[in-house]
Amino acid sequence: MSASERPLAVVTGASSGIGLELAKVFVEHGFDLVVAAENDVVHDVARALAAGGARVDPVRADLATFEGNEDLVAVVEAAGRPVDALAVNAGVGVGGDFVDDSDLRSHLRVVDLNISSAVHLAKRLVPAMVERGAGRVLFTSSVAATAPGPFHSVYAASKAFLASFSQALREELRDSGVTVTALMPGPTDTDFFRRAGMTDTKVATGPKDDPADVARAGFKALMDGDDHVVAGSLRNKAQAAASRVLPDPVKARAMRAMTEPGSGNT
């Protein structure tokens, strides 16, 4: 296919982890890309992805800021092509005791990147999909969305927001030709735990899923038009199923055993 005939996908957080693997899967399935990340690595990623014949436009942008999201939207609009798929994947976490071990700005950055950016990009890019009557949206939520998250409280709450937002938006867009899917991975072998300061927790030292497997599951659910997918191991699916029947205080206590600092050393 020529570049003009290929569908276009926008992927955020594409420099590593699940976002990078999502970008790879899109290219494998004949998409051109606009990929965004906060660091210069996104340019190397774009060159590597383009080696397979796709057009890949990199955008270095801090999506925790209003301006960064507008910079990404400007590049997408300048391409003059419809967005066939939007994968809102960029996210960050902060671990530790909310009161004593972390600073306010770090928590607010979680809100700005995980929540505000998702709302911003959806508000700016989804209306054109609706006007065309075609498009697919993927939000990377988490199994953490299914339970309160002691010692990563703002992160877990942000993922619960994304799970709720995706389902609500999906219902609003029913019969519009645009589908919305929530990707809900469990612990995954990425740089998340180091960046979040959670390397000494039980969840960080336990088994993790391959980000490539998570991305493939997310892509399949997106293309099938599913409302959500719990990706990865049976452990993740069991946690999501249990969350539907257990009360929040019980779930919070169980999560504490996995995420409390130092729990991985016992």
Side-chain angles (χ1 to χ4, degrees):
M1 290 184 291
S2 69
S4 62
E5 295 173 326
R6 297 168 66 101
L8 178 66
V10 178
V11 182
T12 69
S15 62
S16 63
I18 295 170
L20 174 59
E21 298 301 330
L22 278 169
K24 291 178 181 178
V25 175
F26 276 113
V27 169
E28 289 170 5
H29 286 81
F31 282 76
D32 287 340
L33 293 175
V34 176
V35 292
E38 65 179 348
N39 51 47
D40 280 335
V41 174
V42 71
H43 296 284
D44 298 330
V45 166
R47 283 191 288 271
L49 292 169
R55 173 172 176 170
V56 184
D57 294 320
V59 181
R60 180 182 178 184
D62 183 359
L63 298 182
T65 68
F66 185 94
E67 294 77 14
N69 286 281
E70 285 298 300
D71 288 345
L72 173 55
V73 170
V75 172
V76 173
E77 292 180 341
R81 300 169 59 184
V83 175
D84 297 277
L86 169 63
V88 180
N89 171 81
V92 67
V94 174
D97 187 295
F98 179 80
V99 172
D100 295 330
D101 293 342
S102 52
D103 66 273
L104 174 60
R105 290 186 183 276
S106 296
H107 289 294
L108 292 178
R109 182 171 178 81
V110 172
V111 174
D112 290 338
L113 182 57
N114 297 14
I115 296 177
S116 297
S117 177
V119 173
H120 192 140
L121 294 176
K123 186 67 173 176
R124 297 286 274 117
L125 298 178
V126 172
M129 294 181 176
V130 174
E131 185 176 352
R132 289 173 52 225
R136 303 177 188 277
V137 182
L138 182 72
F139 292 105
T140 300
S141 177
S142 172
V143 170
T146 65
F151 303 107
H152 64 318
S153 54
V154 177
Y155 170 79
S158 75
K159 293 302 183 177
F161 175 93
L162 288 176
S164 177
F165 180 59
S166 66
Q167 293 290 348
L169 186 58
R170 177 186 177 88
E171 177 59 23
E172 287 188 27
L173 300 181
R174 181 162 50 94
D175 301 325
S176 71
V178 179
T179 61
V180 183
T181 303
L183 171 58
M184 303 180 72
T188 305
D189 190 12
T190 69
D191 202 32
F192 170 82
F193 294 106
R194 184 192 65 79
R195 295 186 66 191
M198 296 179 65
T199 56
D200 64 342
T201 61
K202 187 173 182 180
V203 66
T205 57
K208 300 179 187 67
D209 295 315
D210 186 334
D213 293 339
V214 171
R216 283 191 288 269
F219 180 85
K220 182 178 186 303
L222 177 70
M223 301 311 290
D224 288 347
D226 296 338
D227 73 298
H228 80 287
V229 59
V230 178
S233 68
L234 291 176
R235 178 186 65 255
N236 302 335
K237 295 173 175 60
Q239 179 180 335
S243 72
R244 293 195 288 269
V245 297
L246 293 174
D248 282 347
V250 173
K251 291 187 287 186
R253 181 62 61 88
M255 186 59 67
R256 177 181 188 136
M258 300 297 294
T259 57
E260 188 166 11
S263 60
N265 300 325
T266 60

PDB file of all heavy atoms in Angstrom, residues 40 57 62 68 106 111 116 124 135 141 148 153 155 163 171 176 179 195 213 216 218 221 235 239 245-246 250 255 258:
ATOM      1  N   ASP A  40      13.875  11.937  23.619  1.00  0.00           N
ATOM      2  CA  ASP A  40      14.382  11.863  22.247  1.00  0.00           C
ATOM      3  C   ASP A  40      14.415  10.443  21.693  1.00  0.00           C
ATOM      4  O   ASP A  40      14.578  10.263  20.484  1.00  0.00           O
ATOM      5  CB  ASP A  40      15.799  12.453  22.186  1.00  0.00           C
ATOM      6  CG  ASP A  40      15.787  13.973  22.141  1.00  0.00           C
ATOM      7  OD1 ASP A  40      14.773  14.544  21.684  1.00  0.00           O
ATOM      8  OD2 ASP A  40      16.769  14.595  22.590  1.00  0.00           O
ATOM      9  N   ASP A  57       5.836   9.255  12.062  1.00  0.00           N
ATOM     10  CA  ASP A  57       6.178  10.612  12.464  1.00  0.00           C
ATOM     11  C   ASP A  57       6.336  10.671  13.975  1.00  0.00           C
ATOM     12  O   ASP A  57       5.373  10.410  14.707  1.00  0.00           O
ATOM     13  CB  ASP A  57       5.086  11.595  12.028  1.00  0.00           C
ATOM     14  CG  ASP A  57       4.995  11.716  10.519  1.00  0.00           C
ATOM     15  OD1 ASP A  57       6.055  11.739   9.872  1.00  0.00           O
ATOM     16  OD2 ASP A  57       3.872  11.780   9.993  1.00  0.00           O
ATOM     17  N   ASP A  62       5.757  16.552  26.114  1.00  0.00           N
ATOM     18  CA  ASP A  62       5.404  16.245  27.500  1.00  0.00           C
ATOM     19  C   ASP A  62       3.885  16.279  27.607  1.00  0.00           C
ATOM     20  O   ASP A  62       3.279  17.344  27.713  1.00  0.00           O
ATOM     21  CB  ASP A  62       6.042  17.260  28.453  1.00  0.00           C
ATOM     22  CG  ASP A  62       5.757  16.942  29.908  1.00  0.00           C
ATOM     23  OD1 ASP A  62       5.041  15.946  30.175  1.00  0.00           O
ATOM     24  OD2 ASP A  62       6.259  17.673  30.782  1.00  0.00           O
ATOM     25  N   GLY A  68       1.906  20.259  25.524  1.00  0.00           N
ATOM     26  CA  GLY A  68       2.415  19.034  24.922  1.00  0.00           C
ATOM     27  C   GLY A  68       1.342  18.284  24.160  1.00  0.00           C
ATOM     28  O   GLY A  68       1.587  17.760  23.059  1.00  0.00           O
ATOM     29  N   SER A 106       4.739  15.146  42.150  1.00  0.00           N
ATOM     30  CA  SER A 106       4.785  13.823  41.519  1.00  0.00           C
ATOM     31  C   SER A 106       3.384  13.250  41.352  1.00  0.00           C
ATOM     32  O   SER A 106       3.049  12.677  40.305  1.00  0.00           O
ATOM     33  CB  SER A 106       5.642  12.873  42.359  1.00  0.00           C
ATOM     34  OG  SER A 106       6.986  13.304  42.402  1.00  0.00           O
ATOM     35  N   VAL A 111      -1.789  12.543  37.681  1.00  0.00           N
ATOM     36  CA  VAL A 111      -3.112  12.993  37.252  1.00  0.00           C
ATOM     37  C   VAL A 111      -3.039  13.657  35.878  1.00  0.00           C
ATOM     38  O   VAL A 111      -3.854  13.387  34.991  1.00  0.00           O
ATOM     39  CB  VAL A 111      -3.716  13.962  38.294  1.00  0.00           C
ATOM     40  CG1 VAL A 111      -5.029  14.546  37.791  1.00  0.00           C
ATOM     41  CG2 VAL A 111      -3.920  13.251  39.629  1.00  0.00           C
ATOM     42  N   SER A 116      -5.561  13.712  32.557  1.00  0.00           N
ATOM     43  CA  SER A 116      -5.809  14.921  31.762  1.00  0.00           C
ATOM     44  C   SER A 116      -5.423  14.735  30.301  1.00  0.00           C
ATOM     45  O   SER A 116      -6.145  15.178  29.396  1.00  0.00           O
ATOM     46  CB  SER A 116      -5.056  16.108  32.365  1.00  0.00           C
ATOM     47  OG  SER A 116      -5.526  16.399  33.654  1.00  0.00           O
ATOM     48  N   ARG A 124      -9.955  16.139  21.484  1.00  0.00           N
ATOM     49  CA  ARG A 124      -9.438  16.791  20.261  1.00  0.00           C
ATOM     50  C   ARG A 124      -9.465  15.884  19.041  1.00  0.00           C
ATOM     51  O   ARG A 124      -9.584  16.384  17.915  1.00  0.00           O
ATOM     52  CB  ARG A 124      -8.016  17.277  20.519  1.00  0.00           C
ATOM     53  CG  ARG A 124      -7.902  18.318  21.592  1.00  0.00           C
ATOM     54  CD  ARG A 124      -8.426  19.695  21.124  1.00  0.00           C
ATOM     55  NE  ARG A 124      -7.353  20.409  20.439  1.00  0.00           N
ATOM     56  CZ  ARG A 124      -7.372  20.770  19.166  1.00  0.00           C
ATOM     57  NH1 ARG A 124      -8.416  20.483  18.419  1.00  0.00           N
ATOM     58  NH2 ARG A 124      -6.359  21.424  18.643  1.00  0.00           N
ATOM     59  N   GLY A 135     -13.639   4.744  13.429  1.00  0.00           N
ATOM     60  CA  GLY A 135     -12.456   4.960  14.248  1.00  0.00           C
ATOM     61  C   GLY A 135     -12.444   4.031  15.444  1.00  0.00           C
ATOM     62  O   GLY A 135     -13.476   3.478  15.838  1.00  0.00           O
ATOM     63  N   SER A 141      -5.636   1.160  30.556  1.00  0.00           N
ATOM     64  CA  SER A 141      -5.970   1.222  31.965  1.00  0.00           C
ATOM     65  C   SER A 141      -5.087   0.190  32.676  1.00  0.00           C
ATOM     66  O   SER A 141      -3.894   0.091  32.385  1.00  0.00           O
ATOM     67  CB  SER A 141      -7.468   0.952  32.164  1.00  0.00           C
ATOM     68  OG  SER A 141      -7.817   0.928  33.522  1.00  0.00           O
ATOM     69  N   PRO A 148      -8.873  -0.579  45.177  1.00  0.00           N
ATOM     70  CA  PRO A 148      -8.113   0.533  45.740  1.00  0.00           C
ATOM     71  C   PRO A 148      -6.634   0.156  45.817  1.00  0.00           C
ATOM     72  O   PRO A 148      -6.292  -1.011  46.009  1.00  0.00           O
ATOM     73  CB  PRO A 148      -8.714   0.690  47.147  1.00  0.00           C
ATOM     74  CG  PRO A 148     -10.061   0.041  47.065  1.00  0.00           C
ATOM     75  CD  PRO A 148      -9.916  -1.079  46.084  1.00  0.00           C
ATOM     76  N   SER A 153      -1.651   4.968  45.382  1.00  0.00           N
ATOM     77  CA  SER A 153      -3.064   5.325  45.453  1.00  0.00           C
ATOM     78  C   SER A 153      -3.520   6.189  44.287  1.00  0.00           C
ATOM     79  O   SER A 153      -4.604   5.970  43.729  1.00  0.00           O
ATOM     80  CB  SER A 153      -3.356   6.034  46.776  1.00  0.00           C
ATOM     81  OG  SER A 153      -2.490   7.151  46.954  1.00  0.00           O
ATOM     82  N   TYR A 155      -2.043   6.509  41.317  1.00  0.00           N
ATOM     83  CA  TYR A 155      -1.927   5.729  40.088  1.00  0.00           C
ATOM     84  C   TYR A 155      -3.135   4.810  39.910  1.00  0.00           C
ATOM     85  O   TYR A 155      -3.770   4.791  38.838  1.00  0.00           O
ATOM     86  CB  TYR A 155      -0.644   4.904  40.096  1.00  0.00           C
ATOM     87  CG  TYR A 155      -0.577   3.900  38.976  1.00  0.00           C
ATOM     88  CD1 TYR A 155      -0.232   4.295  37.686  1.00  0.00           C
ATOM     89  CD2 TYR A 155      -0.881   2.554  39.189  1.00  0.00           C
ATOM     90  CE1 TYR A 155      -0.195   3.373  36.642  1.00  0.00           C
ATOM     91  CE2 TYR A 155      -0.846   1.636  38.156  1.00  0.00           C
ATOM     92  CZ  TYR A 155      -0.496   2.049  36.888  1.00  0.00           C
ATOM     93  OH  TYR A 155      -0.472   1.131  35.858  1.00  0.00           O
ATOM     94  N   ALA A 163     -10.702   3.383  33.102  1.00  0.00           N
ATOM     95  CA  ALA A 163     -11.633   2.285  32.861  1.00  0.00           C
ATOM     96  C   ALA A 163     -13.063   2.810  32.784  1.00  0.00           C
ATOM     97  O   ALA A 163     -13.837   2.432  31.899  1.00  0.00           O
ATOM     98  CB  ALA A 163     -11.506   1.233  33.962  1.00  0.00           C
ATOM     99  N   GLU A 171     -20.285   4.070  25.440  1.00  0.00           N
ATOM    100  CA  GLU A 171     -21.747   4.084  25.386  1.00  0.00           C
ATOM    101  C   GLU A 171     -22.263   5.327  24.663  1.00  0.00           C
ATOM    102  O   GLU A 171     -23.223   5.260  23.887  1.00  0.00           O
ATOM    103  CB  GLU A 171     -22.317   4.001  26.805  1.00  0.00           C
ATOM    104  CG  GLU A 171     -23.835   4.085  26.875  1.00  0.00           C
ATOM    105  CD  GLU A 171     -24.555   2.998  26.102  1.00  0.00           C
ATOM    106  OE1 GLU A 171     -23.963   1.908  25.856  1.00  0.00           O
ATOM    107  OE2 GLU A 171     -25.713   3.235  25.706  1.00  0.00           O
ATOM    108  N   SER A 176     -22.164   5.047  16.488  1.00  0.00           N
ATOM    109  CA  SER A 176     -21.507   6.131  15.755  1.00  0.00           C
ATOM    110  C   SER A 176     -20.486   5.623  14.751  1.00  0.00           C
ATOM    111  O   SER A 176     -19.995   6.380  13.917  1.00  0.00           O
ATOM    112  CB  SER A 176     -20.792   7.068  16.738  1.00  0.00           C
ATOM    113  OG  SER A 176     -19.639   6.432  17.302  1.00  0.00           O
ATOM    114  N   THR A 179     -15.492   2.860  18.120  1.00  0.00           N
ATOM    115  CA  THR A 179     -15.467   1.978  19.277  1.00  0.00           C
ATOM    116  C   THR A 179     -14.404   2.444  20.264  1.00  0.00           C
ATOM    117  O   THR A 179     -13.402   3.071  19.883  1.00  0.00           O
ATOM    118  CB  THR A 179     -15.180   0.527  18.876  1.00  0.00           C
ATOM    119  OG1 THR A 179     -13.883   0.439  18.250  1.00  0.00           O
ATOM    120  CG2 THR A 179     -16.238   0.007  17.914  1.00  0.00           C
ATOM    121  N   ARG A 195      10.634   3.348  37.668  1.00  0.00           N
ATOM    122  CA  ARG A 195      10.268   4.764  37.574  1.00  0.00           C
ATOM    123  C   ARG A 195       9.314   5.177  38.692  1.00  0.00           C
ATOM    124  O   ARG A 195       9.341   6.330  39.144  1.00  0.00           O
ATOM    125  CB  ARG A 195       9.633   5.055  36.217  1.00  0.00           C
ATOM    126  CG  ARG A 195      10.584   4.872  35.040  1.00  0.00           C
ATOM    127  CD  ARG A 195       9.929   5.312  33.744  1.00  0.00           C
ATOM    128  NE  ARG A 195       9.668   6.753  33.729  1.00  0.00           N
ATOM    129  CZ  ARG A 195       8.930   7.359  32.820  1.00  0.00           C
ATOM    130  NH1 ARG A 195       8.364   6.655  31.854  1.00  0.00           N
ATOM    131  NH2 ARG A 195       8.743   8.667  32.866  1.00  0.00           N
ATOM    132  N   ASP A 213       3.075  -9.482  24.479  1.00  0.00           N
ATOM    133  CA  ASP A 213       1.828 -10.241  24.590  1.00  0.00           C
ATOM    134  C   ASP A 213       0.670  -9.328  24.977  1.00  0.00           C
ATOM    135  O   ASP A 213      -0.445  -9.464  24.463  1.00  0.00           O
ATOM    136  CB  ASP A 213       1.982 -11.356  25.630  1.00  0.00           C
ATOM    137  CG  ASP A 213       2.955 -12.437  25.199  1.00  0.00           C
ATOM    138  OD1 ASP A 213       3.207 -12.564  23.979  1.00  0.00           O
ATOM    139  OD2 ASP A 213       3.463 -13.153  26.084  1.00  0.00           O
ATOM    140  N   ARG A 216      -0.358  -7.263  21.919  1.00  0.00           N
ATOM    141  CA  ARG A 216      -1.122  -8.050  20.940  1.00  0.00           C
ATOM    142  C   ARG A 216      -2.561  -8.259  21.414  1.00  0.00           C
ATOM    143  O   ARG A 216      -3.501  -8.182  20.613  1.00  0.00           O
ATOM    144  CB  ARG A 216      -0.427  -9.388  20.686  1.00  0.00           C
ATOM    145  CG  ARG A 216       0.793  -9.277  19.782  1.00  0.00           C
ATOM    146  CD  ARG A 216       1.275 -10.647  19.339  1.00  0.00           C
ATOM    147  NE  ARG A 216       1.905 -11.378  20.430  1.00  0.00           N
ATOM    148  CZ  ARG A 216       3.208 -11.342  20.708  1.00  0.00           C
ATOM    149  NH1 ARG A 216       4.015 -10.585  19.979  1.00  0.00           N
ATOM    150  NH2 ARG A 216       3.707 -12.046  21.696  1.00  0.00           N
ATOM    151  N   GLY A 218      -4.202  -6.252  23.398  1.00  0.00           N
ATOM    152  CA  GLY A 218      -4.868  -4.967  23.276  1.00  0.00           C
ATOM    153  C   GLY A 218      -5.245  -4.651  21.851  1.00  0.00           C
ATOM    154  O   GLY A 218      -6.357  -4.156  21.585  1.00  0.00           O
ATOM    155  N   ALA A 221      -8.259  -6.804  20.797  1.00  0.00           N
ATOM    156  CA  ALA A 221      -9.504  -6.312  21.387  1.00  0.00           C
ATOM    157  C   ALA A 221      -9.952  -5.025  20.709  1.00  0.00           C
ATOM    158  O   ALA A 221     -11.154  -4.811  20.469  1.00  0.00           O
ATOM    159  CB  ALA A 221      -9.317  -6.087  22.887  1.00  0.00           C
ATOM    160  N   ARG A 235      -3.696 -15.035  36.326  1.00  0.00           N
ATOM    161  CA  ARG A 235      -3.693 -14.325  37.609  1.00  0.00           C
ATOM    162  C   ARG A 235      -4.397 -12.975  37.479  1.00  0.00           C
ATOM    163  O   ARG A 235      -5.185 -12.581  38.352  1.00  0.00           O
ATOM    164  CB  ARG A 235      -2.245 -14.138  38.059  1.00  0.00           C
ATOM    165  CG  ARG A 235      -2.057 -13.374  39.357  1.00  0.00           C
ATOM    166  CD  ARG A 235      -0.576 -13.132  39.626  1.00  0.00           C
ATOM    167  NE  ARG A 235       0.030 -12.266  38.620  1.00  0.00           N
ATOM    168  CZ  ARG A 235       0.840 -12.678  37.659  1.00  0.00           C
ATOM    169  NH1 ARG A 235       1.170 -13.947  37.555  1.00  0.00           N
ATOM    170  NH2 ARG A 235       1.352 -11.823  36.790  1.00  0.00           N
ATOM    171  N   GLN A 239      -7.890 -11.849  39.318  1.00  0.00           N
ATOM    172  CA  GLN A 239      -7.993 -10.635  40.136  1.00  0.00           C
ATOM    173  C   GLN A 239      -9.169  -9.778  39.683  1.00  0.00           C
ATOM    174  O   GLN A 239      -9.928  -9.266  40.504  1.00  0.00           O
ATOM    175  CB  GLN A 239      -6.703  -9.817  40.047  1.00  0.00           C
ATOM    176  CG  GLN A 239      -6.746  -8.524  40.855  1.00  0.00           C
ATOM    177  CD  GLN A 239      -5.459  -7.738  40.762  1.00  0.00           C
ATOM    178  OE1 GLN A 239      -4.385  -8.284  40.500  1.00  0.00           O
ATOM    179  NE2 GLN A 239      -5.542  -6.428  40.972  1.00  0.00           N
ATOM    180  N   VAL A 245     -16.805  -9.111  43.237  1.00  0.00           N
ATOM    181  CA  VAL A 245     -17.591  -9.628  44.357  1.00  0.00           C
ATOM    182  C   VAL A 245     -17.034  -9.232  45.722  1.00  0.00           C
ATOM    183  O   VAL A 245     -17.776  -9.249  46.717  1.00  0.00           O
ATOM    184  CB  VAL A 245     -17.724 -11.168  44.275  1.00  0.00           C
ATOM    185  CG1 VAL A 245     -18.477 -11.556  43.016  1.00  0.00           C
ATOM    186  CG2 VAL A 245     -16.359 -11.848  44.293  1.00  0.00           C
ATOM    187  N   LEU A 246     -15.775  -8.867  45.797  1.00  0.00           N
ATOM    188  CA  LEU A 246     -15.169  -8.527  47.077  1.00  0.00           C
ATOM    189  C   LEU A 246     -15.428  -7.064  47.433  1.00  0.00           C
ATOM    190  O   LEU A 246     -15.389  -6.195  46.558  1.00  0.00           O
ATOM    191  CB  LEU A 246     -13.662  -8.786  47.042  1.00  0.00           C
ATOM    192  CG  LEU A 246     -13.224 -10.246  46.921  1.00  0.00           C
ATOM    193  CD1 LEU A 246     -11.709 -10.318  46.753  1.00  0.00           C
ATOM    194  CD2 LEU A 246     -13.673 -11.040  48.138  1.00  0.00           C
ATOM    195  N   VAL A 250     -11.636  -5.105  51.696  1.00  0.00           N
ATOM    196  CA  VAL A 250     -10.928  -6.374  51.548  1.00  0.00           C
ATOM    197  C   VAL A 250      -9.922  -6.289  50.407  1.00  0.00           C
ATOM    198  O   VAL A 250      -8.770  -6.743  50.521  1.00  0.00           O
ATOM    199  CB  VAL A 250     -11.926  -7.527  51.326  1.00  0.00           C
ATOM    200  CG1 VAL A 250     -11.189  -8.829  50.990  1.00  0.00           C
ATOM    201  CG2 VAL A 250     -12.810  -7.713  52.550  1.00  0.00           C
ATOM    202  N   MET A 255      -4.350  -5.669  48.354  1.00  0.00           N
ATOM    203  CA  MET A 255      -3.423  -4.918  47.516  1.00  0.00           C
ATOM    204  C   MET A 255      -2.252  -4.399  48.338  1.00  0.00           C
ATOM    205  O   MET A 255      -1.109  -4.372  47.857  1.00  0.00           O
ATOM    206  CB  MET A 255      -4.151  -3.769  46.834  1.00  0.00           C
ATOM    207  CG  MET A 255      -3.316  -3.006  45.813  1.00  0.00           C
ATOM    208  SD  MET A 255      -2.701  -4.056  44.476  1.00  0.00           S
ATOM    209  CE  MET A 255      -4.250  -4.465  43.657  1.00  0.00           C
ATOM    210  N   MET A 258       0.757  -6.441  48.454  1.00  0.00           N
ATOM    211  CA  MET A 258       1.528  -6.496  47.220  1.00  0.00           C
ATOM    212  C   MET A 258       2.343  -5.230  46.959  1.00  0.00           C
ATOM    213  O   MET A 258       3.376  -5.280  46.289  1.00  0.00           O
ATOM    214  CB  MET A 258       0.604  -6.736  46.037  1.00  0.00           C
ATOM    215  CG  MET A 258      -0.185  -8.022  46.105  1.00  0.00           C
ATOM    216  SD  MET A 258       0.871  -9.490  46.077  1.00  0.00           S
ATOM    217  CE  MET A 258       1.565  -9.370  44.430  1.00  0.00           C
TER     218      MET A 258
END
